[in-house]
Amino acid sequence: MVRLNYVNRKIDGRKLGQSVSKDLLKRIPPGSGHKAAIRDPCVELDVSGKQLADEGFQEAAHALITSVAFEGETGKIVRLEELNLRGNQLTAASLVDLGRVIALTAKDLRDLDLSNNLIAITTETDAQAWESFLSSFKKCCMLRRIDFSGNVLGQKAFEIFTRVYGKEDPVDLPLVNALSSNTEEQSPSTKTNAEDLSGLEHHIRKMSIPNRPQRYSTDPETTLRTDSAGQMPPGKETKSPERESSVKFGHTPGLPDPSSRYAECLGLRSISYIIFSDTGMTEPCASHLSWVVEHHHLPNKLMGFVPLPKAGPPTHQLEEYNARSGCRGIVYFPNENISNAGRKALEWAEEVRTGRTGSLEDSAHGRIGGPKTPHKLAGASRRPSDAPMTLINPSSPAQRRRTGSVAYSGHGSGELDRARSRIQVQALRDMGTRSNDLWRKSLEFLSIARAILLRPNQDSSYQKTKHTINQAEDLVDPKSWPSLPINPPKPRNTSNPLSPVNPNQIIGAKVFQRRVPVLDLSALMAGKPYISNQAKPPVEEKQEMPPPPLPPREDKVKGVDDEIWRGIIELATEAQGIVSYNQQLIIIAWAKDRDTMLSERDSLGKAESAQIWKVLDAMGCLAYEIKS
């Protein structure tokens, strides 16, 4: 391990950056120190408190990128394990180059300190640099700690951090443990073969190889010094405590690689300690960070999948983080600007995190259902709106309140949702939708989707209700009654006397327009049943009015599938990377359903912020989707 420490140098600023650049470039050919770099490629770089600023760091960053990207015959000859940039007046402009360094050292970097700088995300350029910087951690598998403390990051920084964090694949620790146990529990024949290969590798390392001299062993547990002929002098086998947890370089193909254990956990989700102390957190920042706290694994679990820190100050520092009340891994105290609502959201997120961790541990041991907790807390269904939630993102708070999933039932999930709701409504009231990219893009997506995809009144409850009302009005309005057929009166017959069997009888001046059948008296006297000799008039059945014809329903709008429309609207609103694919599908379904307009109309009397919150909550677009 080579420690490049510039703390005691008398120079600072850009001159120090140039000095760091020269020392790093010496470690790659044709530099004078490349042979020493081949023997020990691990580097710790400490330039804390030297006021590098953006110009000085740019000099050092370019040398870092060149050196860590160089590969010789034995692989990389500069492996950056620790980088301390504390107190150097760095701004968001330095994050682009720093992100490139992190991406190149993803399998080596173990500690990154950016505390007490001037990193603040205020402009669109700063936001793009910050998001690119956070995305560079997606392949990191060795990192134990990132320290952002002492930087007034701003609300946008926490929003983007939650967005990038949610896009990463979750770290499934029970699965990783199962893979590790399966590797250890090998069959006798497999275990014997592995031991034979390991012994063969041990003998090969002692042999002299003329075309690749090796003065140091690649064994991470021991460092074997060899002479010029490649032979190890007797009694020179020494332990190297600094390399106890490092990755084995120059791994022989076909043999078990210890680094495979670390490669199972990647990205921001695999980092045991992320420090946000004294970063100017506000209530919206706490609301965003509560999603990260809820889904992040506890540090004592994650530390089993990264190399352990060296004894001394690094270990003491991690112990000091654990001693802070209420913070486990994600350290957000102290922060003076966090109000009571933000503290409550973070505290309840820790409670839900505890319940989630308990359920994962139970599932890992074969117990389905986790700890016995109430199905739903008292008052957990309270929410600012009563809108129907049939079209909801499964990971949204509204859906969680309606499901009995183990990970969310009990453990304060209802209280957490209410704390977040208060912060969100207040943010909408004070700053509007412009304060959150997800809210703004979701409403733009909905507006365009509704203008294109909203169909006429087909198969909706609104259309059926209107038709029923029209039928009731027809029954009451006499003008809508159908005309009944009336038989014209027959001419008066004065030649025949009046008789009870005469079909045309005049009583007063009225004419009974009724056809009376002629009775057959002889048949009645003989006791036979009466049979009329005249046909009965046909009975006219009441004809019901058919509903008005509806136009044929089309599954395609203007002959284009909804999926194509979704892609077009995504490009038009620039929602890619902000509104997730699942959220876009829910917005499309919400925009196409005319009944949702009735639901939105019910809240017209409320404040505008409450109306917007209700629509976003119904579509599952109040918070970024977190993969789980």
Side-chain angles (χ1 to χ4, degrees), residues 90 125 134 167 176 244 255 281 323 408 422 461 511 586:
L90 302 181
T125 303
L134 294 176
K167 292 179 184 178
V176 175
E244 288 183 356
L255 296 178
M281 289 180 60
Y408 295 104
R422 296 189 196 101
S461 59
V511 178
I586 296 171

Side-chain angles (χ1 to χ4, degrees), residues 143-347:
L143 197 56
R144 295 186 299 261
R145 183 185 71 116
I146 307 178
D147 193 349
F148 296 112
S149 62
N151 295 276
V152 185
L153 297 176
Q155 177 180 339
K156 187 63 65 177
F158 286 92
E159 178 187 347
I160 295 175
F161 184 88
T162 306
R163 180 198 308 165
V164 176
Y165 185 94
K167 292 179 184 178
E168 293 185 352
D169 294 328
V171 175
D172 194 350
L173 294 184
L175 178 60
V176 175
N177 287 328
L179 293 175
S180 301
S181 61
N182 290 338
T183 304
E184 294 174 359
E185 296 176 0
Q186 301 177 10
S187 62
S189 58
T190 307
K191 194 170 184 179
T192 303
N193 294 335
E195 292 176 353
D196 294 342
L197 290 175
S198 178
L200 180 61
E201 182 193 21
H202 180 71
H203 290 293
I204 291 176
R205 287 200 300 265
K206 293 183 178 181
M207 296 173 62
S208 174
I209 305 177
N211 60 349
R212 182 183 291 184
Q214 182 178 356
R215 299 184 59 85
Y216 285 83
S217 169
T218 59
D219 193 345
E221 300 294 336
T222 58
T223 302
L224 306 179
R225 293 187 177 274
T226 58
D227 56 13
S228 58
Q231 302 294 331
M232 181 186 65
K236 294 296 183 180
E237 182 175 345
T238 59
K239 285 281 184 179
S240 177
E242 295 182 356
R243 302 292 303 278
E244 288 183 356
S245 57
S246 61
V247 182
K248 180 168 58 178
F249 307 125
H251 171 63
T252 304
L255 296 178
D257 189 355
S259 63
S260 61
R261 175 180 176 85
Y262 304 136
E264 299 294 338
C265 302
L266 303 174
L268 294 171
R269 294 191 173 199
S270 67
I271 302 174
S272 303
Y273 295 91
I274 305 177
I275 317 303
F276 289 108
S277 303
D278 296 320
T279 52
M281 289 180 60
T282 59
E283 287 187 357
C285 300
S287 177
H288 289 301
L289 190 61
S290 66
W291 291 95
V292 178
V293 173
E294 178 184 350
H295 290 82
H296 203 72
H297 284 285
L298 297 176
N300 60 339
K301 302 294 183 182
L302 292 172
M303 285 296 290
F305 300 94
V306 294
L308 296 176
K310 296 179 296 184
T315 302
H316 297 329
Q317 192 172 41
L318 298 184
E319 292 175 353
E320 191 267 338
Y321 292 144
N322 293 330
R324 294 189 183 183
S325 176
C327 298
R328 296 176 294 178
I330 308 296
V331 181
Y332 42 82
F333 287 140
N335 266 293
E336 297 179 355
N337 294 334
I338 299 182
S339 63
N340 186 43
R343 291 176 181 271
K344 288 293 184 182
L346 292 171
E347 289 174 2

Side-chain angles (χ1 to χ4, degrees), residues 68 78 123 142 152 171 225 403 406 432 466 511:
V68 299
V78 175
T123 65
M142 298 282 193
V152 185
V171 175
R225 293 187 177 274
T403 57
V406 174
K466 183 177 180 181
V511 178

Side-chain angles (χ1 to χ4, degrees), residues 4 6 120 127 130 138 155 174 181 255 608:
L4 301 178
Y6 298 87
W130 175 252
K138 62 183 178 181
Q155 177 180 339
S181 61
L255 296 178
E608 182 179 358

Side-chain angles (χ1 to χ4, degrees), residues 523-545:
L524 292 175
M525 294 176 63
K528 297 180 179 180
Y530 165 73
I531 300 176
S532 174
N533 57 357
Q534 295 184 3
K536 296 182 179 180
V539 179
E540 296 182 0
E541 298 180 355
K542 184 179 179 180
Q543 297 181 356
E544 297 182 358
M545 296 183 62

